Amino acid sequence: MSVECRTEWLSAYLDGELPPETARQVEHHLLDCDACRNWLHQAEQADGALVQAVRPPGPDLASRILASLPLTPIPTPAGEYADAGAWAAVGLAAGGMLFLLRAYPALVHFWRTMHSLNMIFWTTGLLHLQDPAETYRLAGLLLLIGLVGAVAFYGTRLLDRPEEVTQ
Amino acid sequence: MAKPWEATVRAARNGDSRAFAALVQDFSDYVYHIAYSVVWQAEDAEDIAQETFLKAYTSLGQLREASAFATWLARIAMNLAKDRLRRRGGARFLDELPPDAPELVAPTGPPEERLVALDTHNALQAAIAALPNYYRTPLLLRVKAGLTYEEIAAVLEIPIGTVRSRIHAARDRLAKALAEMNAADHPVKEGAT
């Protein structure tokens, strides 16, 4: 592959954007080509002058930006989801307990019917939960764990509120 | 390879305001130069930098990859700069017409050097003024904001090959303007170089 006088490659070479092999070819070509060497030199001059010619930002730009930021904490989606998740868990746990209390007679009736039909022996047998009382104890325990977990999680979120932005 | 500021971005995303303040310190000049490359006015570029960080502050949670922070920030700045340009009623960003003469810093230093620098300054100002935005902006993003071709392509939403050719075209025009100036018979400049 011949490099010839491709100034587009020289521009990319100046920016360090050429693959190593192509960069080596360009360097080799530059040894023998005055026109390309001149172009590269002028391009470097133009870059340097351009960099110097641009007005720099004021010295207090960062301070000005910081002063303009709101005092409210940075909104984090994780926080929003965690809040929503915690409330959902609390709601589910409370609702589940209420449902158990309210629907206890109906559940016992349903359990006995199913038990008599021998339909859920297989699953309950695996869990050794043939006894309805044992099942309710387990359900209550799971709901309690869920409730404690949700309260602990939400409580942690409340304690871990981000600090205000330093002005 | 992980970028050095990724942990800071993650901390800020989790609500750490001190980490966000550190990002403002590290990236304010970067954002300013991106804005400047479009609007070419220091005051407007500073306003845009301020707006950019305000927007970043409220929407940082939407950034999924901490490693994409610099490009994400650059795109916010770029969009705000384009809006500003539109509101100003000047040339549209991708307009082929040359924009208004850009604001450049006048050279300083000893009188003799300043005279030489002024020649270069004037020649460069004329050459830059003649560059369309779509040539000027990628070159400034490269040489002043320090973005790679890949990052410029992402920020300007153009193919990387287009970035390469536009940067080359901008440089070619500026280099030719400087070459013409160098070729002219100018005793003060020759003595100084």
Side-chain angles (χ1 to χ4, degrees), chain A residues 14-149:
Chain A
L14 202 58
D15 292 327
E17 293 274 356
L18 282 182
E21 178 57 30
T22 315
R24 273 194 293 275
Q25 288 180 356
V26 167
E27 282 163 4
H28 186 72
H29 174 76
L30 283 169
L31 293 172
D32 300 324
C33 183
D34 286 344
C36 283
R37 270 204 308 276
N38 284 339
W39 190 93
L40 196 65
H41 179 63
Q42 284 155 5
E44 281 174 326
Q45 266 191 317
D47 278 7
L50 190 61
V51 165
Q52 284 186 350
V54 172
R55 191 178 292 276
D60 58 345
L61 177 61
S63 309
R64 189 182 142 191
I65 292 168
L66 286 172
S68 73
L69 295 177
L71 295 172
T72 50
I74 298 174
T76 59
E80 287 161 21
Y81 294 140
D83 286 358
W87 279 115
V90 170
L92 276 174
M97 285 187 130
L98 194 65
F99 175 77
L100 279 177
L101 286 171
R102 181 69 182 82
Y104 181 75
L107 282 171
V108 170
H109 176 72
F110 176 73
W111 179 267
R112 283 180 180 153
T113 309
M114 297 297 276
H115 200 271
S116 64
L117 291 173
N118 207 18
M119 283 177 69
I120 54 172
F121 256 116
W122 185 76
T123 48
T124 54
L126 283 177
L127 296 168
H128 305 286
L129 293 177
Q130 288 91 342
D131 180 9
E134 195 182 338
T135 309
Y136 287 124
R137 275 199 298 277
L138 181 63
L141 184 66
L142 288 173
L143 284 167
L144 193 63
I145 291 170
L147 187 63
V148 170

Side-chain angles (χ1 to χ4, degrees), chain A residues 7-12 14-17 39 42-43 45-47 49-58 60-66 68-78 162-166, chain B residues 12-18 20-21 24-25 28-29 32-33 36 42 46-47 49-50 53-54 57-58 61 103-105 124 128 139-140 142-144 148-149 164-165 167-168 171-172 174-175 178-179 182:
Chain A
T7 51
E8 189 169 330
W9 284 17
L10 294 177
S11 176
L14 202 58
D15 292 327
E17 293 274 356
W39 190 93
Q42 284 155 5
Q45 266 191 317
D47 278 7
L50 190 61
V51 165
Q52 284 186 350
V54 172
R55 191 178 292 276
D60 58 345
L61 177 61
S63 309
R64 189 182 142 191
I65 292 168
L66 286 172
S68 73
L69 295 177
L71 295 172
T72 50
I74 298 174
T76 59
E163 296 168 25
E164 301 294 324
V165 176
T166 312
Chain B
R13 199 174 49 187
N14 289 332
D16 184 343
S17 298
R18 286 199 182 117
F20 192 85
V24 170
Q25 294 287 351
S28 54
D29 280 11
Y32 167 86
H33 285 122
Y36 195 104
E46 289 198 0
D47 287 348
Q50 191 175 320
F53 280 102
L54 188 59
Y57 188 86
T58 53
E103 175 193 81
L104 296 173
V105 181
L124 187 67
I128 291 171
L139 181 61
L140 252 295
R142 173 67 203 137
V143 300
K144 198 65 190 174
T148 64
Y149 284 8
R164 189 181 296 113
S165 60
I167 287 177
H168 165 254
R171 259 193 193 123
D172 199 42
L174 296 181
L178 285 173
N182 289 337

Side-chain angles (χ1 to χ4, degrees), chain B residues 123-142:
Chain B
L124 187 67
Q125 189 170 34
I128 291 171
L131 279 180
N133 260 344
Y134 61 77
Y135 282 163
R136 208 172 52 183
T137 300
L139 181 61
L140 252 295
L141 290 176
R142 173 67 203 137

